[in-house]
Amino acid sequence: MLTDTWLLMKLYWKLDGRTGSGRGPWRIIALIIAILGTIFMIVMSAITGWGLSFLVRPGSPVALPPGILPGLMLTVVLLGVLFTGMNQSMKALYLNGDLDRLMVAPINTRAVMVSKLLSRLPWTFVILFALTGPATIAYGIGLGAGPVYYLLGLLMLLCAPLFGLAVGALLAMVLVRVMPVDRLNELMTAAYALVGILIAIAAQAPRLYMTGGEVEVTLTGDKFADFGASLARMPIPTMWAGQGLMTLDAGRFDPTGLLGIALYLLLTLGLFALVITTADGLYLSGWLKTQSAGGKRRGLEAAGERAKRRTPAMAIALKDWRMRLRDARQLVTIFGVGFMAIVIGALAIFRPSPGGENLMNLGNMDIPVTAPAVVHVLIAMFSRGALVSMFGFYVGFSLLANMASYAMALEGQSFPLLKAAPIRGRDVWSAKLRGVYLPFVGVFVVTLVVGWIFTRYSLAWAPYAVAIGLMAGYAILAANTSAGFRYANLEWTDPRRMMTQSGGLVSLLISLAYGLPAAIIALLGFGLAQVYFHWAWLFAGVALLLVAGMTLIMHVIMSRWGESAWDKLPA
């Protein structure tokens, strides 16, 4: 077994080296950036560890327990490697694409599992050491720690990745028995993306409570010390292990610390050893389960009857939405990023400024009658109704712009079937656009209604806002749909790579080329109508006609572009 394990690990490292090798200028630049980033992480880690050592020295005004930093570091590391290790284990065990050949080769089954897991450790060790090793060493130097601290502390840090790999391997072996591997991969990817989005949203949470632009913090040294002592007493094995590490280095005997170290080693090294020695049968049965997995025909006749009653455009739009809702990665990527943008936009508009005001009160400012007309127009352009309308358009755009760009790429490997179907390219373009534009209409109108409930803006100009928003939304979504036709990546495996980078830049430039003039025209028409109310119908009518003309031109250009791009897509 050991010989087979070492042979497979060397082969995996060689394959990884070939994958990352290259002499192109972009690879060299990426390598330089990676090296500089690693050096930066090492320096910042060392500075952090050295600075925190001053908080536990005898003369420090904040008397923290010496084992709190090692305990916190072990806790954070163990949680971090839990997420990364689960992802690495699942991909290594079932998604490499070589499992079918290895299982029938004259190689020990346990060696296959062990080599797949251990071959992922070197880079994990490098990243882990760059993040935590310098802080651990600098903290020990600052406290004058002995060799026990360095040897045992670094050993516990290096054992941390084994915990994530062991837990991830067990979960992968169990879950693969109840769902297909590809589906499991989608759910895991979506889960990681969701965690990242939740962390980003949580980072914005303090802004909800900053009503005056500043947060007054009254945290004395004694309170900080009490807080640190409470953390050190938490019944967590990693905190006990940090305490035991410092007491052992000082030559003292601490039963709680020794118990924490023992539990930590059992969770990391012990659990990994248990998995690789006893779970090879579970791994083999999971592989056999993947070979026998298959689908079943359920309700195909009824589905066929329903499909006959639909137009081709409706069928394509409904099929796209079923694909989006079925793929958890797309749901998290599209709706998560859109929701994050909505939260940030809402904070920018509704959160009070340092003076206690927000943008919603800008239109209610008292402007002297003798002020220039341009001032009155500008203030009117930012009334409550205008801001709510702009926010509603922003919400719809954030949620559905990427869906429009990725509409064609949704076909993926099945695109030749659609290309061979008796349907014109312009009809496909219209179906893709309709599938995202109708939800945009609903989102925009609902946002206006909800905004009126909370802000009570005047409804007199609501028809004007709805007309402008729906026309502008159609034009921008048409631009994104056509760019998606032209720059679609039909071989995508990652939902974030469904369109080339140049396609995203082109769609952004086209959206700006239409959106900025249309926004200026719409806001000027509204502002002038508010100031010169005797001519309100004239200003509003001219603005509507201009935006309608721009939208019609965009429709003609984008539909022709989408149709020509359809003809150039490979069948």
Side-chain angles (χ1 to χ4, degrees):
M1 172 188 166
L2 294 179
T3 304
D4 292 341
T5 302
W6 179 244
L7 174 63
L8 290 175
M9 288 175 60
K10 290 193 296 183
L11 291 175
Y12 281 127
W13 292 337
K14 185 178 293 185
L15 290 174
D16 292 340
R18 289 178 180 177
T19 302
S21 62
R23 297 183 179 180
W26 292 110
R27 290 187 179 274
I28 295 175
I29 293 174
L31 179 61
I32 294 174
I33 294 175
I35 294 174
L36 293 177
T38 303
I39 295 174
F40 176 78
M41 287 191 298
I42 292 174
V43 172
M44 293 303 298
S45 177
I47 293 175
T48 302
W50 176 262
L52 291 176
S53 67
F54 286 91
L55 299 179
V56 298
R57 295 183 182 182
S60 173
V62 181
L64 291 177
I68 187 172
L69 177 65
L72 286 175
M73 189 173 298
L74 291 176
T75 304
V76 172
V77 167
L78 215 61
L79 292 176
V81 298
L82 176 62
F83 288 101
T84 58
M86 289 170 60
N87 188 34
Q88 288 178 339
S89 298
M90 185 190 65
K91 291 183 176 180
L93 292 177
Y94 293 105
L95 298 176
N96 266 357
D98 58 356
L99 190 56
D100 295 345
R101 294 187 296 272
L102 289 176
M103 283 300 184
V104 297
I107 300 176
N108 188 285
T109 305
R110 186 178 297 170
V112 174
M113 181 184 65
V114 175
S115 62
K116 282 179 171 291
L117 294 176
L118 293 181
S119 61
R120 297 296 184 265
L121 284 180
W123 282 111
T124 306
F125 281 149
V126 171
I127 297 174
L128 181 64
F129 182 79
L131 289 174
T132 61
T136 303
I137 296 173
Y139 183 77
I141 294 174
L143 294 181
V148 174
Y149 168 81
Y150 297 108
L151 295 177
L152 188 56
L154 293 178
L155 174 63
M156 288 193 295
L157 284 178
L158 294 179
C159 287
L162 300 177
F163 174 71
L165 289 176
V167 175
L170 288 175
L171 285 177
M173 293 175 195
V174 172
L175 293 177
V176 79
R177 300 170 68 89
V178 297
M179 67 178 65
V181 176
D182 294 337
R183 183 64 174 169
L184 178 60
N185 183 36
E186 293 176 2
L187 293 177
M188 291 293 293
T189 304
Y192 288 120
L194 181 61
V195 170
I197 292 170
L198 291 177
I199 292 175
I201 294 176
Q204 301 293 327
R207 298 177 59 185
L208 297 173
Y209 304 98
M210 296 174 61
T211 56
E214 296 180 355
V215 178
E216 184 179 356
V217 180
T218 57
L219 187 62
T220 62
D222 293 337
K223 292 182 178 180
F224 191 79
D226 294 339
F227 177 71
S230 299
L231 285 178
R233 291 192 300 267
M234 292 181 65
I236 302 176
T238 50
M239 300 301 298
W240 295 343
Q243 177 183 342
L245 177 64
M246 300 307 298
T247 55
L248 281 179
D249 183 71
R252 299 193 306 270
F253 179 80
D254 181 12
T256 303
L258 292 177
L259 177 62
I261 294 175
L263 290 176
Y264 180 86
L265 294 178
L266 284 176
L267 283 174
T268 54
L269 186 60
L271 182 60
F272 185 78
L274 181 65
V275 169
I276 64 175
T277 55
T278 62
D280 54 320
L282 185 62
Y283 182 46
L284 179 59
S285 62
W287 172 75
L288 293 174
K289 182 70 175 178
T290 62
Q291 302 305 301
S292 60
K296 296 182 179 179
R297 295 167 57 95
R298 294 178 180 175
L300 294 181
E301 293 79 6
E305 292 298 328
R306 290 194 301 268
K308 291 179 182 179
R309 297 192 294 268
R310 298 170 185 160
T311 63
M314 183 186 300
I316 291 174
L318 292 176
K319 182 266 300 178
D320 287 351
W321 274 102
R322 281 197 298 266
M323 293 180 65
R324 294 186 183 105
L325 297 176
R326 192 176 298 163
D327 191 345
R329 299 173 301 171
Q330 294 188 49
L331 284 178
V332 173
T333 301
I334 295 174
F335 288 105
V337 174
F339 183 72
M340 183 64 191
I342 292 169
V343 171
I344 295 176
L347 289 175
I349 294 177
F350 300 104
R351 184 176 65 88
S353 63
E357 299 290 335
N358 56 26
L359 290 178
M360 296 301 296
N361 297 324
L362 185 61
N364 298 329
M365 294 178 58
D366 295 329
I367 305 298
V369 180
T370 57
V374 64
V375 176
H376 290 275
V377 172
L378 289 175
I379 295 299
M381 288 166 55
F382 292 95
S383 65
R384 289 191 174 188
L387 287 174
V388 171
S389 301
M390 287 188 285
F391 180 68
F393 181 85
Y394 174 74
V395 170
F397 174 80
S398 300
L399 288 175
L400 295 158
N402 283 337
M403 293 188 191
S405 300
Y406 300 156
M408 174 51 66
L410 277 176
E411 303 299 331
Q413 299 295 330
S414 62
F415 173 74
L417 298 176
L418 181 62
K419 192 72 176 289
I423 185 171
R424 297 184 305 168
R426 179 165 296 195
D427 294 335
V428 176
W429 180 85
S430 299
K432 298 286 187 180
L433 176 58
R434 188 183 306 173
V436 293
Y437 179 66
L438 293 179
F440 171 84
V441 173
V443 170
F444 180 65
V445 173
V446 168
T447 306
L448 292 183
V449 173
V450 173
W452 178 82
I453 294 174
F454 285 97
T455 62
R456 296 295 179 178
Y457 60 85
S458 175
L459 294 177
W461 285 86
Y464 177 84
V466 171
I468 292 290
L470 296 186
M471 288 189 293
Y474 178 87
I476 292 181
L477 290 179
N480 282 270
T481 303
S482 297
F485 270 58
R486 174 61 181 83
Y487 298 99
N489 176 21
L490 297 175
E491 298 179 355
W492 64 275
T493 56
D494 187 345
R496 297 168 297 181
R497 303 290 185 267
M498 297 172 72
M499 188 172 68
T500 62
Q501 293 181 353
S502 56
L505 178 61
V506 169
S507 63
L508 175 62
L509 293 177
I510 296 175
S511 299
L512 290 176
Y514 169 88
L516 289 179
I520 292 173
I521 292 172
L523 289 174
L524 274 178
F526 175 74
L528 291 172
Q530 294 294 310
V531 176
Y532 304 102
F533 54 88
H534 295 292
W535 300 93
W537 289 103
L538 175 62
F539 290 122
V542 171
L544 286 172
L545 288 176
L546 289 176
V547 175
M550 294 175 59
T551 304
L552 179 60
I553 294 173
M554 280 287 289
H555 168 75
V556 174
I557 296 175
M558 291 299 110
S559 61
R560 292 180 179 177
W561 188 30
E563 188 174 12
S564 64
W566 165 269
D567 296 332
K568 297 176 183 178
L569 288 171

